[in-house]
Amino acid sequence: MGYGPEGLILDLEDAVPPAEKVGARAITRDGIAFLKTTGVGAFVRINPLDEGGVEDVLSVTTAGLTCILLPKLRDADQVRELADLLSYAEGKAGMERGEVSIMAIPETAEGLCDVRQLASASPRVKSVLTAIIDRVSDDVVFTGDTVLAAGFIPTREGFEQIYLTSKLCVESRAGGAAYPMASLIGTDLQDREAAVRIAKRMKATGFTGCVAIHPNHVAVANEIFRPTPSELKFQVGALKAMREAEAAGLYAVRYRGMMIDRANVALAEKVIADARRCGMEIPAEEDL
């Protein structure tokens, strides 16, 4: 846990050989119990429901489980099936109904086209997950389910992924899943500069966080997705400027050379709240 993640994904799907999937469930339960003692969220990626995922859920739903990641999603019915299954499993485990959330992973063409429907299929869906995929070189390129489903070829520039990732962020929020996430894959695991570049692209696109494939990337994700001191200072100042303007009966004001209005208040408050959650010191308005 020394890398500082906010949560850890325990994988029962692609990372586990078929012959070891049943045994991996008990190990996953032990992992959830351990994570509960550390305060780190326990996320479990199960297999598709019709490929052992039902048994996965019944086995790993236990105190300390934060979220189930549902891969290979095609339609909202699969989300609703998982939500109902979780209600049963939570009751069986003596947990409160609705305690475990769902992260939807649309890795099919159908799912990628219907992200809003997936996000709105259950109140349990808090996030939709996709990937922003880098390319190491002309002859070294990562492929995976999303690449195959969408049909694009990853490039270092990433232009081919802009539509898909932007659409996913908007549709996730429109469906009520306020925390779209992206995994950082396809980079050379030792190339910190590449990881920073992709993480910045994620944040600019609208993703609220990063799923790190390698521990080396956790520090990068924490650095990029937390407000910078200068960003925090700017937003505290914007909030101060708006409060002073409203006290004077104005709802638009010049700040740092640009016009801001009430629409800027929500963003400023969000950045400040994120900074507090990360334990950052908030500048005093009177010092600005």
Side-chain angles (χ1 to χ4, degrees):
M1 295 302 103
Y3 291 96
E6 294 182 306
L8 189 68
I9 296 174
L10 306 172
D11 191 20
L12 289 172
E13 198 208 9
D14 289 346
V16 181
E20 299 179 20
K21 287 185 181 289
V22 173
R25 293 169 185 155
I27 297 172
T28 299
R29 282 183 66 93
D30 291 342
I32 294 169
F34 169 74
L35 290 173
K36 188 172 184 290
T37 67
T38 69
V40 174
F43 294 66
V44 177
R45 182 170 72 163
I46 62 171
N47 291 281
L49 293 176
D50 58 355
E51 297 178 22
V54 171
E55 292 77 12
D56 289 341
V57 172
L58 295 177
S59 296
V60 305
T61 301
T62 185
L65 177 62
T66 304
C67 180
I68 291 289
L69 284 70
L70 183 57
K72 312 294 193 296
L73 264 174
R74 297 185 306 275
D75 56 57
D77 285 343
Q78 293 174 305
V79 177
R80 286 187 281 267
E81 182 181 355
L82 174 58
D84 290 343
L85 181 62
L86 280 170
S87 294
Y88 170 76
E90 286 166 338
K92 188 177 179 182
M95 301 166 64
E96 290 188 16
R97 183 172 181 174
E99 191 171 334
V100 180
S101 62
I102 294 173
M103 182 179 290
I105 315 179
E107 297 170 299
T108 65
E110 298 92 334
L112 291 168
C113 284
D114 294 332
V115 170
R116 184 174 182 177
Q117 284 76 18
L118 301 180
S120 61
S122 168
R124 291 183 185 268
V125 182
K126 309 300 183 186
S127 175
V128 180
L129 173 67
T130 189
I132 288 187
I133 304 168
D134 195 18
R135 185 174 185 131
V136 174
S137 65
D138 287 344
D139 58 345
V140 179
V141 59
F142 177 91
T143 58
D145 295 307
T146 300
V147 171
L148 294 173
F152 64 80
I153 299 173
T155 65
R156 288 180 64 83
E157 296 77 18
F159 298 132
E160 71 289 341
Q161 300 173 58
I162 292 173
Y163 168 73
L164 186 66
T165 53
S166 298
K167 174 180 178 290
L168 185 138
C169 286
V170 173
E171 291 207 13
S172 178
R173 289 182 170 92
Y179 305 101
M181 302 279 286
S183 56
L184 195 164
I185 55 181
T187 63
D188 181 328
L189 296 178
Q190 303 304 317
D191 188 345
R192 188 180 190 280
E193 183 178 332
V196 169
R197 172 170 49 83
I198 297 300
K200 286 182 175 180
R201 189 186 302 169
M202 289 177 182
K203 185 174 181 179
T205 300
F207 292 102
T208 60
C210 170
V211 173
I213 298 299
H214 192 274
N216 286 347
H217 295 161
V218 175
V220 171
N222 286 338
E223 173 189 336
I224 299 303
F225 281 92
R226 289 173 179 171
T228 65
S230 59
E231 181 183 9
L232 180 57
K233 184 177 180 180
F234 177 90
Q235 296 297 352
V236 171
L239 198 58
K240 176 185 178 183
M242 280 305 305
R243 285 175 178 161
E244 291 174 348
E246 290 178 11
L250 303 173
Y251 280 77
V253 66
R254 182 189 296 269
Y255 174 66
R256 301 281 289 270
M258 66 179 186
M259 186 278 288
I260 62 173
D261 57 18
R262 286 291 303 169
N264 296 90
V265 171
L267 176 59
E269 291 176 340
K270 178 184 181 301
V271 171
I272 293 168
D274 286 346
R276 285 199 176 97
R277 181 177 59 82
C278 296
M280 298 177 66
E281 183 176 352
I282 311 300
E285 289 187 3
E286 55 268 23
D287 294 337
L288 299 178

